Amino acid sequence: MTDSERRAQAQRLVETYSDLILRLCYTYLKNTQDAEDICQDTFLKLLTLRRTFDSPEHEKAWVIRTASNACKDLLKSAHRRTTCALDECCAAAAPEQSDGSVLDAVQTLPEPYREVIYLHYYEGYSLKEIGTLLSIPAATVGTRLARGREKLKTILGGDLYENCI
């Protein structure tokens, strides 16, 4: 592969997946800089592994799985659990006011519910596809989706919930 072909491939990947990876990583990490780091790492893996994919859907699934696994690894890392950012160590400020959006409510859910709700409603994956991406049975995805919806209903309040989802 020539240099210009590599650049064209990298440009296509960035244009196709950068927004998806950043949004997905932000739902896990709730930190823009960490999400950007994982995004960059995902692109590096994709470009250096030189994998061939059966279809664009297979490529997208690989990207999502790689990014979500990297996020989970970062969340499990001892360094992340035992350190905090310098600006967080300064005087504690009052928490930011939420704008009351559904995405804000989704962000407050525990990870298993947050990830299936995000992949289903924001990325449009079916239960079976989500199960394949996360290596869990489709029935488990359905259960997590139902429980996540119930938690969202509690967070958002019944009437607002019915109008949002």
Side-chain angles (χ1 to χ4, degrees):
M1 187 180 273
T2 67
D3 219 21
S4 63
E5 289 173 330
R6 282 192 197 112
R7 287 185 184 160
Q9 173 73 352
Q11 185 67 31
R12 179 191 69 82
L13 293 171
V14 168
E15 289 173 359
T16 306
Y17 298 117
S18 61
D19 189 48
L20 166 70
I21 296 170
L22 283 173
R23 287 184 289 130
L24 177 66
C25 292
Y26 187 79
T27 62
Y28 277 100
L29 305 170
K30 296 180 178 98
N31 180 303
T32 304
Q33 291 80 18
D34 287 342
E36 289 170 347
D37 288 345
I38 297 294
C39 184
Q40 184 177 13
D41 291 345
T42 302
F43 285 129
L44 285 173
K45 284 180 186 176
L46 187 56
L47 290 169
T48 57
L49 289 179
R50 300 177 197 242
R51 283 186 65 127
T52 56
F53 297 100
D54 300 334
S55 65
E57 291 80 22
H58 183 224
E59 181 180 72
K60 183 178 181 181
W62 185 91
V63 167
I64 289 173
R65 185 166 208 163
T66 301
S68 66
N69 285 342
C71 290
K72 290 174 185 177
D73 290 344
L74 181 63
L75 289 170
K76 289 188 295 189
S77 73
H79 177 73
R80 180 163 172 110
R81 287 188 311 242
T82 58
T83 61
C84 69
L86 183 60
D87 56 343
E88 291 175 11
C89 296
C90 295
E96 293 180 20
Q97 289 293 324
S98 165
D99 65 357
S101 72
V102 175
L103 186 57
D104 285 339
V106 170
Q107 293 290 347
T108 65
L109 293 174
E111 181 183 327
Y113 307 129
R114 184 175 63 236
E115 68 185 353
V116 296
I117 286 176
Y118 177 79
L119 289 171
H120 184 70
Y121 288 108
Y122 291 90
E123 295 301 326
Y125 282 100
S126 69
L127 301 183
K128 184 178 178 184
E129 292 169 328
I130 295 170
T132 302
L133 286 171
L134 302 176
S135 300
I136 57 176
T140 303
V141 174
T143 301
R144 289 180 182 179
L145 204 52
R147 290 178 181 166
R149 285 185 197 124
E150 284 301 312
K151 289 185 177 292
L152 278 176
K153 189 174 184 179
T154 303
I155 293 167
L156 295 173
D159 296 332
L160 180 61
Y161 172 81
E162 298 299 329
N163 295 329
C164 293
I165 293 190

